[in-house]
Amino acid sequence: AVAADVQPDGPDDPPEGRVGKTVNEVIRLLAQLDEQKDDVEQNIPKDVLDDIDNNRNPNRSAKARVENTAVQNQFVHSQLLAVQSYRGFLREALVENFPDMAPFLDETRIDLTKHSGDVVRMHSHFEGPTQPF
C-alpha cells in the first residue's frame, strides 16, 4: 500500500477500496507465484533471496562472493605450491645425504604447475603415466 491508497475512496474506486484492491492484487500475485513454484528446477541460494528482500542488488553480492572465492583459491594454490617446492628441496637433500633411498623417494605426486584445469598425477618409476583425474 502506498500513501495514495489511504486517501478517501472516490467514485471511480472499486467497492473494496484502494487498499483492498492493492491487497487483493498482492494476494493474486503471491498465489500465481505459488502455482509456478513447481515449474522452477533451479535452486536459488538463500543469500540471493535475502539480498532481494533487503533491496540489495544480488549481482553485487555474487560478484563479492566470486572475488572472495578467487582470493581463497589463490591462497590455497600458493600454499600447495610451497608444499610442493619444500617437498622437492627435501627430496634433493635426502638423496644427497642418503643416496640409497633415492629410488624410494620418487613417489607419485600431484603436479601443481599445470594450469590446464585438470590435476595431473605425475608418475614414478614404479608406474607409467596416468590419466587426469
Side-chain angles (χ1 to χ4, degrees), residues 53-111:
D53 285 343
N54 294 321
N55 293 323
R56 288 190 304 251
N57 184 349
N59 289 336
R60 186 174 298 170
S61 297
K63 181 180 177 187
R65 281 190 286 275
V66 167
E67 289 172 352
N68 186 30
T69 302
V71 167
Q72 289 176 354
N73 186 32
Q74 289 174 348
F75 178 73
V76 170
H77 183 70
S78 65
Q79 285 182 323
L80 292 173
L81 286 175
V83 167
Q84 187 178 27
S85 174
Y86 173 75
R87 182 179 181 172
F89 291 133
L90 180 62
R91 183 188 185 289
E92 289 174 11
L94 287 172
V95 168
E96 182 179 319
N97 292 301
F98 304 100
D100 295 338
M101 290 182 63
F104 303 104
L105 295 175
D106 192 17
E107 56 189 45
T108 302
R109 58 187 158 82
I110 296 175
D111 183 5

Side-chain angles (χ1 to χ4, degrees), residues 6-58:
V6 294
Q7 301 299 321
D9 294 334
D12 297 332
D13 291 328
E16 66 269 12
R18 293 180 188 173
V19 173
K21 178 183 174 190
T22 302
V23 169
N24 287 338
E25 180 67 12
V26 169
I27 291 171
R28 184 186 68 75
L29 291 172
L30 288 173
Q32 185 179 3
L33 278 175
D34 190 55
E35 290 172 5
Q36 294 175 350
K37 73 178 185 232
D38 295 330
D39 297 336
V40 177
E41 295 180 10
Q42 289 183 326
N43 290 329
I44 301 171
K46 186 175 180 332
D47 293 346
V48 171
L49 296 176
D50 289 341
D51 286 344
I52 292 169
D53 285 343
N54 294 321
N55 293 323
R56 288 190 304 251
N57 184 349

